[in-house]
């Protein structure tokens, strides 16, 4: 028997977010009281009216295969949402719905990236970007940022990184994991650079659009001349607390939407018909449907930021969106506990897991090894307890 897995699989790492969540679940099952702040998903339930749209779809027997790119209804609803919220004029044949934004991202990367092509990832970036690029045979090119820049890239750094091999740039705003939000003028400045490079496409991952504490969300594709160069990725997982429904989508130039439909037609076909109906209701709903959740996230951000900022060796930016804190913990590198030195953020994340029983995610997998990611999508009481435990654990370091 030849039990070896494929080269493609061997190139792939396990998702660090999912791995830490799994470890926390296992520790919990063994009786340890672990607080899991590792997985990024809202701790709220899907709003009732969106659940009802799914139930109505079942009762109306919308339980058959749909067109691969999604029903006309959901694609028209998404096109209307893009116009209403983002000023983007996509027609319904430029929309493709998929089984989560994760599949949307994979479709786009597999449609455009050839082996050896470079894909620029401003760091910190979401863990799965780098792995999806590797599946396509592409080469992730990491552009570092720092806490001083609020973890946002400067246009000059982007311009310097683009060369003849560059095929794509992928970034998210609001950003997972830093929570950074590009302002309108910062978005315009990035567009000024990207517009000069006809071979380069940009994925603007806007899945945290609704979890934004600034007054405005800026869409890159809305910048002059960018519609043909940008793929806008979004979905209902985060803004509507619908992670389990598995529904993401793109707005893209038609030839890219067609390419994604072709790939998806061979891998999964359309996403779940019931989830499509609920997603149509979500994007048609007044965006204020998410307000109670977003208000809670802002309150928790403030509380968690205040308590973690007091801990020596933990340095934070102020995230303006999403539901993560991304503290720089590099001042703790070199300290030791029970004779073991903590050398990097992997060690710090394991130390917090084992000593504080708080699950976080190391910044290594996000391309920013000075940091760890803490999701604050948990109740106020749990977050307070998590901060207390982290503080006690850090005080034990020598
Ligand atoms: N992009 C980012 C930045 C994310 O954090 C997530 C969360 N899983 C996704 C895409 C994918 O979301 P989903 O597949 O649940 O739509
Ligand atoms: N996007 C979430 C996170 O970053 C969910 C987990 C995942 O899909 O990797 O934790």
């Amino acid at each position: 028997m030849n039990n070896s897995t494929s080269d493609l699989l061997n190139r792939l790492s396990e998702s660090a977010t999912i791995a830490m969540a799994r470890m926390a679940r296992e520790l919990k099952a063994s009786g340890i009281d672990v607080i899991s702040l590792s997985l990024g998903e809202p701790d709220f339930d899907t709003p009732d009216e969106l659940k009802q749209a799914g139930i109505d779809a079942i009762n109306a027997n919308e339980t058959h295969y749909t067109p691969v790119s999604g029903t006309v209804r959901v694609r028209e609803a998404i096109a209307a949402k893009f116009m209403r919220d983002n000023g983007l004029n996509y027609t319904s044949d430029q929309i493709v719905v998929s089984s989560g934004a994760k599949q949307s991202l994979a479709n786009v990367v597999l449609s455009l990236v050839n082996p050896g092509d470079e894909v620029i990832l401003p760091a910190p970036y979401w863990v799965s970007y780098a792995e999806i690029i590797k599946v396509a045979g592409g080469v992730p090119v990491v552009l570092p940022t720092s806490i001083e820049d609020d973890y946002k890239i400067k246009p000059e750094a982007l311009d310097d990184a683009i060369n003849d091999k560059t095929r794509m740039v992928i970034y998210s705003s609001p950003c997972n994991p830093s929570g950074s939000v590009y302002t309108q003028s910062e978005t315009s400045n990035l567009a000024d650079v990207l517009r000069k490079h006809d071979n380069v496409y940009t994925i603007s991952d806007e899945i945290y659009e609704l979890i934004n504490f600034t007054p405005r969300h800026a869409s890159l594709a809305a910048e002059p001349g960018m519609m043909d160069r940008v793929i806008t990725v979004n979905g209902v997982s985060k803004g509507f607390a619908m992670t389990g429904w598995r529904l993401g989508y793109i707005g893209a130039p038609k030839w890219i939407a067609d390419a994604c439909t072709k790939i998806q037609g061979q891998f999964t076909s359309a996403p779940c018909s019931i989830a499509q109906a609920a997603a149509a209701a979500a994007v048609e709903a007044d965006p204020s449907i998410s307000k109670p959740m977003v208000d809670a996230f802002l309150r928790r951000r403030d509380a968690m930021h205040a308590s973690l900022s007091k801990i020596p060796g933990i340095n934070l930016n102020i995230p303006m969106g999403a539901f993560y804190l991304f503290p720089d913990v590099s001042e703790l590198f070199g300290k030791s506990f029970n004779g073991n030195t903590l050398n990097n953020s992997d060690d710090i994340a394991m130390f917090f897991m084992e000593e504080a029983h708080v699950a976080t995610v190391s910044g290594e997998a996000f391309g920013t090894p000075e940091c760890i990611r803490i999701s604050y999508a948990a109740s106020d009481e749990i977050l307070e307890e998590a901060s207390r435990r982290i503080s006690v654990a850090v005080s034990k370091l020598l």
Side-chain angles (χ1 to χ4, degrees), residues 17 45 47 65-66 98 105-106 131 227 231 242 257 328 345 357 361:
T17 51
D45 292 325
Y65 289 133
T66 74
S98 300
L105 288 159
E131 300 306 316
M227 274 299 263
I231 301 93
M242 290 176 74
D328 182 320
S345 59
H357 296 157
V361 187

Side-chain angles (χ1 to χ4, degrees), residues 36 65 77 95 221 237 247 266 276 287 310 324 335 354 380 391:
S36 185
Y65 289 133
I95 311 289
S237 281
L247 204 296
Q266 295 293 14
Q276 289 187 51
K310 292 192 194 116
Y324 307 103
K335 297 200 180 274
E354 285 166 2
D380 302 46
S391 173

Side-chain angles (χ1 to χ4, degrees), residues 2 51 58 65 78 88 95 100 108 115 146 165-166 176 210 273 280 294 320 324 331 348 355 357-358 365 369 371 395:
N2 177 353
K51 288 194 280 199
I58 295 175
Y65 289 133
I78 290 167
L88 296 174
I95 311 289
V108 176
S146 66
K165 291 193 188 139
T166 310
N176 176 4
L210 293 177
S273 57
V294 177
M320 297 309 292
Y324 307 103
E331 275 180 34
I348 303 277
E355 185 53 29
H357 296 157
V358 177
C371 297
S395 72

